[in-house]
Amino acid sequence: MKHFLDLSRYDKTSKVKLVEAAGNMIELARDGADLANGKILATLFYEPSTRTRLSFESAMLRLGGRWLGFADTKASSVAKGESLADTIRTVDKYSDVIAIRHPAEGAALAASMYSGVPIINAGDGSHLHPSQTLLDMLTIKTELGKLENLELVLTGDLRYGRTASSLALAMADFHPRITCVTPPELSLPEHIKRRLKDELGISVHETDGLYDPAQIADVLYVTRIQKERFFSDEEYQKVKGSYAVDGEIAASMKENSLILHPLPRVDEITPSVDETPQARYFDQMFYGVPARMAIIADLLELQTIDTEPVWPLPEELDVDCHNPRCVTKTESYLPRFFVPLGEKDEALFEELGNGETVRCFYCDYEVSI
Ligand code: NCD
């Protein structure tokens, strides 16, 4: 069964098809359709959300289907200690497709192992947010007319944020030049930089000044500091308010460039930017509906979009993932699945020691065994 868990697992042709299908949904996202008549979407949100949950529900209603779900685990059996696997085994009896947001990394993939219906990853901890990525790509394609060879500048919390790294990984096939602008504490995790560089052939330039990268950017992608994911308040206070896109930076940007943000924002884009032609984050929110309509249409085969994700084959090992936020830490019944990484280079050797390196199938952390 096909699930929508990680956009970077689709090849370029499938990604183009999905963006095109999402583009074709724009009109239906305004006018409505009856493609999903009789179908039910379940939205299981173990973490707060405004845009993602409501736009999934809106997408299903616009397709002519219905939805049910919870937006707060306190009102569900999760509060009684029910496992993720059992919740999924329950909800798949009541629905045709499930969108899940969960704080544990790899939770959506874990859910897919127990589900009789397709699972959509609506955000799993700091790991991935593929439906946001599809809507970001639809925004870029619609507003700039292309996805190829773009100057992509990512700024904000690239360590704990899932949207920027999801976008970088999924865009790799389109040969972007990626510049990351962050304080060192918030830089892109090493395993993601390594995947971009070694597996996807994209070099990442890192800097801490926004002014110069903003001038060359086709897309300036801004993200919020993910306060809720810091291990301590002290760690958060160190970086709080450490960057902001203001009117001066927006004014220095190319005329035909975009400032995007998955939202919500706190203080990283000043209100004076909202009126500039580059500011498209409010339009970006609208694209969430057609993008999610396309995901549902693909999974429920309401249209022939014809995409196929390609996953590496995992092995079950007697090893624990070292990521404290991996879903295997809280859902202890999960099989320990890892993907061998093959030869390791010098940097990895220094960081992880001289054992064989494997990648956790759920959260993508690298572990030396
Ligand atoms: C983002 C998320 O949840 O990852 N928001 C969203 O889905 N639109 C970004 C964030 O919370 O900062």
Side-chain angles (χ1 to χ4, degrees), residues 51-52 101 129 132 162-163 224 226 228 262-264:
R51 275 150 287 265
T52 304
R101 168 169 288 190
H129 197 348
Q132 177 71 41
R162 51 197 169 197
T163 54
R224 170 181 74 88
Q226 309 283 299
E228 68 278 21
L263 302 175

Side-chain angles (χ1 to χ4, degrees), residues 153-283:
V153 178
L154 309 174
T155 189
D157 184 350
L158 308 185
R159 171 153 303 262
Y160 297 118
R162 51 197 169 197
T163 54
S165 49
S166 286
L167 183 63
L169 289 167
M171 286 286 286
D173 283 334
F174 301 89
H175 312 292
R177 278 171 299 280
I178 298 183
T179 305
C180 295
V181 187
T182 62
E185 295 87 348
L186 300 180
S187 67
L188 211 55
E190 288 303 319
H191 68 280
I192 294 182
K193 276 189 262 181
R194 234 175 345 250
R195 209 177 135 201
L196 281 168
K197 187 166 139 269
D198 299 345
E199 287 168 39
L200 302 169
I202 299 293
S203 60
V204 174
H205 174 62
E206 293 184 283
T207 169
D208 54 8
L210 191 53
Y211 195 77
D212 290 340
Q215 297 195 20
I216 56 152
D218 293 305
V219 178
L220 173 59
Y221 195 89
V222 190
T223 61
R224 170 181 74 88
I225 298 190
Q226 309 283 299
K227 183 176 182 214
E228 68 278 21
R229 305 215 192 277
F230 281 66
F231 286 103
S232 69
D233 187 53
E234 198 188 343
E235 193 195 345
Y236 169 67
Q237 292 300 335
K238 256 199 241 163
V239 288
K240 185 178 165 219
S242 57
Y243 58 91
V245 175
D246 55 19
E248 199 188 331
I249 287 178
S252 77
M253 290 177 63
K254 292 192 292 199
E255 207 175 311
N256 190 21
S257 62
L258 313 176
I259 301 174
L260 301 183
H261 191 310
L263 302 175
R265 69 172 149 180
V266 181
D267 53 8
E268 61 278 2
I269 297 183
T270 61
S272 63
V273 176
D274 297 356
E275 302 308 321
T276 66
Q278 287 84 1
R280 299 296 168 80
Y281 28 91
F282 298 129
D283 303 314

